[in-house]
């Protein structure tokens, strides 16, 4: 009836100006789906909104007039002229411009799709003419089918949704490509839709979500493969993917689709029923992945939580009421509805300004940029998905002086959060440091560790913790971010040589995981006694290597309180490893053979034998193998051969060999005249010698060649035995 009335109006206009109008309706064949059954076998005709329609002269296909469909698919295109005319009506997968920029649906060869009516005979161009209903059929490919006009429908809806949030239009054209053999993905202003996804409206909207994020907001997602129930994703990826899926639901809710709140990807080969479903997840309750969904590093938790911030009690999702406190009955940000509040946060400075955007930045944006005021209701909605954006009950404990005392023991703390706003408002709360203190008696051995809440082996409410333990004087005793389950930290075998108040600071280890929740415990695991060594690895070690001083790993108990380490009586540098072992750098020993490796603490000394042997041939180590040298750093030379050998350190600018039969066979010099003797060195009882040499006056940028020629102390006979050649260059 309405269309008849419209046509009558044009009759009057046409009579006055000699102008007719072609009316009609554009639809596309759509495959219906629902959460339970996937493609359920129903095919309906849906209107194509805001699509380009041409009226063509049927004789030569020249364009007589053009226009766009309305939201209901109806069109009314004025034409000029008079007399009878055979015409065609042709619709294209090009939308009306939104703020100057349209949406295109094309194949990968950039062909626009179109659908054309049969030849229609207009009795007169200056009379109204009803072209009837033009239905774009399904497009069938090998093993897949799709609806390009349905894909255009999703693109138009996405554009209209962002404009409903106050955007003036699309800042550039949005391109949708179908069929894409390589899977569905988005890049910049383009979304590629897999051949198999030609009727997967939600997949199309998800990819459009990526495009809208690119056009209006920011994404730091590194991309890569991902799926539901992964709780330890890169949180930047979780934000990018979770938001894109959320966007699909928000658009579908905006347009009144029944049950808009889920993600679904189905087989596109025409099969129907539950087996057509490839992947699905409901936003309201997280099914079928509810038990394995949670935290900032889980795209499912991201879209479920964001959904709770825009769905309402009247959302037609098959659930009575709403399952969270944000139910549409009040504004969370004054003057903005739920969608507009989300959009204001999503496009605000907090989100745009961060370098590693994750969902907590969007949360912060709700308060910083959208002016949200309903902190309790909103944070409880996120809390339901284990995204904990409230300070724990021990805050403020960010500073040394505000450290909160905890009891030592096997029991874990309640769940703590690395989220505490210090700016006055409730957000942003990144950068939290939690400080805890505990008392230890002298000579206690203790450990400090974090775990995921509830001891879950799965990351869920991930926190990537870094622990720093301080002694009673405030000096750092140990720090580390590893050793616990998953991304958790554990510092073991720590020694408390004096009694007093020790302190542990918990913070985020990674800038891309700045928040999260954890449980903490600190406990005494023993009493410090004299060091006892149970083994050294390797048990036999060469005095020197060409690229480094050899390192020996010492295992045992009570090594953590060490004050000194020696090998063969020569002091050695050592560092305590996270597992309680000592890493000892072999010093330049003054004897070889079976030596004593000793570890000393105030409570005694433990020792263990280690075999130290000379290298099989003379060995020259300069700068531990680094071959680029600098004038401000004297060169470090280390020489090794058999005990008491006599070593000649030789230098040349030439790398050509110098054979002197019976005397020496050098790899440098290019002749005896090219060789300079730098130093003659009697080696020690350990067969070693070390010295350093300033090279400030040496030429820059030329190759230096060094080699040892060694007279054996054991035989005292020629020829001299040569070492490796070391080549280097002074860079400044
Ligand atoms: Zn995606």
């Amino acid at each position: 009836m309405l269309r008849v009335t419209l046509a009558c109006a044009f009759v009057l206009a046409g009579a006055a100006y000699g102008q007719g109008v072609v009316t009609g309706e554009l639809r596309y064949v759509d495959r219906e789906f629902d959460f339970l059954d996937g493609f359920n076998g129903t095919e309906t005709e849906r209107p194509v909104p805001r699509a380009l329609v041409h009226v063509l002269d049927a004789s030569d296909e020249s364009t007589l007039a053009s226009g766009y469909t309305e939201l209901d698919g109806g069109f009314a295109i004025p034409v000029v002229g008079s007399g009878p005319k055979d015409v065609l009506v042709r619709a294209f997968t090009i939308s009306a411009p939104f703020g100057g920029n349209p949406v295109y649906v094309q194949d990968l060869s950039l062909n626009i799709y179109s659908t054309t009516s049969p030849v229609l005979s207009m009795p007169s161009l200056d009379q109204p003419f009803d072209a009837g209903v033009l239905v774009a059929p399904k497009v069938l490919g090998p093993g897949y089918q799709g609806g390009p006009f349905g894909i255009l429908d999703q693109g138009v809806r996405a554009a209209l949704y962002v404009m409903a949030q106050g955007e003036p239009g699309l800042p550039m054209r949005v391109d949708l490509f179908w069929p894409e053999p390589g899977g569905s993905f988005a890049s910049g202003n383009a979304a590629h839709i897999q051949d198999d996804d030609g009727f997967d409206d939600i997949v199309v909207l998800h990819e459009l979500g990526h495009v809208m994020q690119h056009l209006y907001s920011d994404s730091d997602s590194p991309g890569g493969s991902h799926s539901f129930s992964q709780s330890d994703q890169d949180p930047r990826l979780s934000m990018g993917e979770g938001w894109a899926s959320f966007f699909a639901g928000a658009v579908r809710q905006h347009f009144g689709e029944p049950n808009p709140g889920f993600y679904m990807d189905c087989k596109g080969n025409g099969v129907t029923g539950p087996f057509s479903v490839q992947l699905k997840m409901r936003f309201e309750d997280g099914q079928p992945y509810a038990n394995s969904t949670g935290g900032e590093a889980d795209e499912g938790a991201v879209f479920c939580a964001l959904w709770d911030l825009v769905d309402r009690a009247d959302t037609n999702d098959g659930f009575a009421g709403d399952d969270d406190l944000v139910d549409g009955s009040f504004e969370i940000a004054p003057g903005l509805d739920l969608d507009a509040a989300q959009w204001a946060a999503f496009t605000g400075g907090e989100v745009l300004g961060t370098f590693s955007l994750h969902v907590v930045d969007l949360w912060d944006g709700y308060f910083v940029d959208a002016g949200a005021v309903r902190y309790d209701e909103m944070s409880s909605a996120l809390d339901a998905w284990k995204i904990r954006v409230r300070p724990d009950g021990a805050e403020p404990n960010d500073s040394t002086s505000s450290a909160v005392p905890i009891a030592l023991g096997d029991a874990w703390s309640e769940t703590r959060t690395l989220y505490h706003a210090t700016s006055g408002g409730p957000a942003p709360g990144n950068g939290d440091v939690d400080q805890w203190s505990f008392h230890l008696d002298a000579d206690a051995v203790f450990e400090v560790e974090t775990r995921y809440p509830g001891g879950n082996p799965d990351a869920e409410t991930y926190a990537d913790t870094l622990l720093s333990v301080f002694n009673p004087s405030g000096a750092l005793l140990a720090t580390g971010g590893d050793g616990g389950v998953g991304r958790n930290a554990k510092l073991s075998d720590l020694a408390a040589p004096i009694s007093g108040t020790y302190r542990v600071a918990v913070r985020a280890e990674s800038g891309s995981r700045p928040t999260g929740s954890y449980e903490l415990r600190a406990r005494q695991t023993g009493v410090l006694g004299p060091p006892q060594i149970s083994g050294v690895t390797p048990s036999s070690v060469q005095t020197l290597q060409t690229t480094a001083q050899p390192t020996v790993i010492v295992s045992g108990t009570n090594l953590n309180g060490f004050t000194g380490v020696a090998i063969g009586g020569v002091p050695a540098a050592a560092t305590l490893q996270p597992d309680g072992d000592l890493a000892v750098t072999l010093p330049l020993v003054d004897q070889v053979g079976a030596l004593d490796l000793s570890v000393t603490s105030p409570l005694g000394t433990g020792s263990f034998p280690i075999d130290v042997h000379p290298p099989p041939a003379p060995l020259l180590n300069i700068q531990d193998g680094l071959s680029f040298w600098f004038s401000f750093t004297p060169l470090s030379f280390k020489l090794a051969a058999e005990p008491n050998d006599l070593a000649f350190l030789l230098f040349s600018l030439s790398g050509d060999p110098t054979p002197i039969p019976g005397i020496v066979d050098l790899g440098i010099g290019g002749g005896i005249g090219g060789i300079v003797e730098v130093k003659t060195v009697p080696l020690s009882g350990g067969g070693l010698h070390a010295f350093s040499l300033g090279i400030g006056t040496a030429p820059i940028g030329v190759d230096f060649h060094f080699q040892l020629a060694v007279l054996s102390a054991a035989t005292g006979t020629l020829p001299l035995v040569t070492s490796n050649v070391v080549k280097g260059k002074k860079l400044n």
Side-chain angles (χ1 to χ4, degrees):
M1 277 311 280
L2 183 64
R3 208 159 68 227
V4 172
T5 310
L6 274 174
C8 290
F10 277 107
V11 170
L12 296 174
Y17 298 101
Q19 180 180 305
V21 61
V22 176
T23 57
E25 194 178 334
L26 177 64
R27 298 179 192 162
Y28 67 98
V29 175
D30 194 25
R31 301 186 72 210
E32 299 296 317
F33 59 87
D34 59 63
F35 187 72
L36 210 56
D37 290 328
F39 287 122
N40 54 29
T42 303
E43 293 190 356
T44 52
E45 293 177 2
R46 284 182 174 249
V48 184
R50 311 299 292 131
L52 177 64
V53 177
H54 283 185
V55 178
L56 308 174
D57 185 328
S59 64
D60 61 0
E61 300 206 354
S62 62
T63 304
L64 297 173
S66 64
Y68 297 100
T69 60
E70 299 298 327
L71 290 181
D72 64 0
F75 57 86
I77 300 172
V79 290
V80 177
S82 61
K85 179 70 85 180
D86 284 350
V87 301
L88 299 168
V89 175
R90 179 170 293 162
F92 299 89
T93 52
I94 295 176
S95 80
F98 300 103
N101 292 297
V103 177
Y104 275 36
V105 179
Q106 307 163 77
D107 67 15
L108 289 178
S109 304
L110 309 186
N111 295 309
I112 304 285
Y113 293 91
S114 64
T115 190
T116 307
S117 72
V119 174
L120 303 168
S121 295
M122 284 182 72
S124 175
L125 280 175
D126 60 6
Q127 295 295 314
F129 178 75
D130 185 354
V133 177
L134 182 58
V135 180
K138 294 195 289 185
V139 173
L140 303 178
Y144 60 83
Q145 46 185 286
F149 282 90
I151 295 171
L152 181 70
D153 185 10
Q154 307 313 317
V156 167
R157 288 171 184 232
L160 292 173
Y161 176 79
V162 303
M163 291 174 74
Q165 311 319 319
E167 298 295 342
L170 295 172
M172 62 196 299
R173 196 176 92 188
V174 169
D175 284 318
L176 287 152
F177 293 101
W178 181 86
E180 163 64 58
S184 291
F185 64 94
S187 173
N189 66 323
H192 291 244
I193 308 304
Q194 189 179 1
D195 44 22
D196 178 71
D197 292 337
F199 281 112
D200 280 324
D201 296 353
I202 295 173
V203 174
V204 176
L205 286 169
H206 172 101
E207 300 305 339
L208 282 162
H210 287 308
V211 170
M212 296 305 165
Q213 186 165 9
H214 170 75
L215 294 181
Y216 298 99
S217 182
D218 184 27
S219 174
D220 299 319
S221 174
S225 67
H226 57 96
S227 189
F228 299 151
S229 81
Q230 293 174 328
S231 59
D232 197 24
Q233 295 172 331
D234 186 315
R236 300 169 301 177
L237 173 84
S238 308
M239 172 64 192
E241 297 305 330
W243 192 89
S245 295
F246 153 79
F247 176 78
V251 171
R252 295 180 73 235
Q253 173 179 255
H254 181 78
F255 285 94
E257 291 294 326
N259 198 4
F262 62 89
Y263 183 87
M264 176 172 275
D265 187 355
C266 293
K267 292 174 188 165
N269 60 359
V271 298
T272 59
F275 290 114
S276 68
V277 178
Q278 293 169 304
L279 183 65
K280 67 177 181 179
M281 183 165 168
R282 194 158 53 201
F283 298 169
E284 187 77 341
D285 61 1
Q287 291 299 346
Y289 301 105
N291 291 337
S292 52
T293 295
E296 293 94 315
D298 183 327
E299 63 179 283
V302 169
F303 61 62
C304 287
L306 294 179
W307 179 251
D308 282 340
L309 298 183
V310 302
D311 75 331
R312 305 179 300 264
D314 64 359
T315 301
N316 179 12
D317 61 1
F319 289 81
D322 203 354
D323 70 341
D324 56 273
L325 298 174
V326 182
D327 63 359
S329 62
F330 57 88
E331 289 176 338
I332 58 177
L336 300 175
D337 68 19
L338 296 175
D339 287 285
Q342 193 284 137
W343 192 256
F346 184 63
T347 57
E350 188 71 16
V351 163
L352 267 54
T354 186
F355 292 107
S356 60
L357 177 64
H358 77 314
V359 67
V360 176
D361 298 307
L362 178 58
W363 161 262
D364 292 339
Y366 265 99
F367 295 89
V368 176
D369 296 314
V373 294
R374 302 302 285 258
Y375 178 78
D376 287 342
E377 295 91 339
M378 294 169 65
S379 64
S380 80
L382 268 65
D383 200 56
W385 298 103
K386 297 172 184 167
I387 300 170
R388 298 190 169 104
V389 283
R390 15 178 157 202
D392 60 56
E395 296 289 356
N397 61 338
D398 294 16
S399 68
T400 304
S401 59
S402 61
V404 172
I406 57 173
L408 292 177
D410 294 342
W412 292 88
S413 73
E414 60 187 272
T415 296
R416 304 300 188 183
T417 61
L418 289 177
Y419 191 90
H420 179 221
T422 53
S423 57
N430 294 346
D432 187 25
V433 181
D434 293 346
Q435 305 250 12
W436 314 93
S437 67
F438 46 90
H439 177 85
L440 289 167
D441 292 329
D443 298 332
V445 176
F446 68 105
E447 65 183 21
V448 182
E449 60 185 312
T450 63
R451 69 174 188 178
Y452 297 129
N456 198 328
D458 188 82
E460 281 205 350
T461 54
Y462 81 104
D464 188 3
T465 53
L466 175 74
L467 298 176
S468 300
V469 177
F470 299 88
N471 71 18
S473 68
L476 181 67
L477 190 64
T479 187
D482 302 321
V485 172
R487 299 187 179 278
N488 283 284
K490 180 176 186 175
L491 298 172
S492 301
D493 285 322
L494 302 176
I498 59 168
S499 76
T501 301
Y502 288 72
R503 181 165 52 83
V504 58
V506 186
R507 53 164 58 81
E509 184 177 24
S510 157
S512 64
R513 289 181 169 76
T515 58
S517 34
Y518 66 92
E519 294 174 1
L520 174 78
R521 75 175 172 189
R523 54 181 182 164
Q524 184 169 347
T525 51
V527 177
L528 209 53
Q532 289 184 316
I533 302 174
S534 57
V536 298
T537 308
S539 60
S540 177
V541 62
Q542 182 173 301
T543 50
L544 185 65
Q545 296 162 352
T546 52
T547 56
Q549 285 288 105
T551 297
V552 177
I553 301 297
V554 180
S555 326
T557 52
N558 295 327
L559 304 178
N560 42 17
F562 81 98
T563 51
V565 177
I567 295 179
V570 180
T575 53
L576 189 66
Q577 308 295 102
D579 60 3
D581 287 350
L582 286 180
V584 178
T585 303
L586 186 72
L588 297 185
V589 292
D590 51 20
Q591 53 188 318
V592 292
L595 305 181
D596 238 16
L597 188 156
S598 64
V599 176
T600 302
S601 83
L603 299 174
T605 297
S607 62
F608 203 86
I610 180 168
D611 175 63
V612 181
H613 59 83
L619 188 150
L620 176 61
N621 170 318
I622 303 179
Q623 293 292 89
D624 282 337
L626 297 177
S627 56
F628 294 116
W629 306 335
F630 301 96
S631 59
F632 46 83
T633 311
L635 287 189
S636 153
F637 287 79
K638 284 172 250 173
L639 288 49
E642 297 283 341
N644 306 312
D645 283 358
L646 184 66
F648 303 95
L649 174 61
L650 306 174
F651 161 77
S652 178
L653 293 174
S654 166
D656 294 332
T658 304
I660 312 172
I663 307 291
V664 69
D665 194 3
L666 287 171
I668 64 173
I672 191 78
I675 293 171
V676 176
E677 179 193 350
V678 179
K679 207 173 170 69
T680 301
V681 179
L683 299 179
S684 72
L688 293 162
H689 185 77
F691 67 98
S692 58
L693 192 65
I695 55 169
T697 58
I700 293 170
V702 298
D703 287 334
F704 298 159
H705 304 83
F706 288 93
Q707 193 172 24
L708 295 179
V710 173
L711 179 64
S712 165
T715 65
T717 58
L718 296 173
L720 302 173
V721 187
T722 55
S723 76
N724 55 306
V725 172
V726 177
K727 184 172 132 182
K729 188 181 294 209
K730 197 175 92 166
L731 282 191
N732 72 346

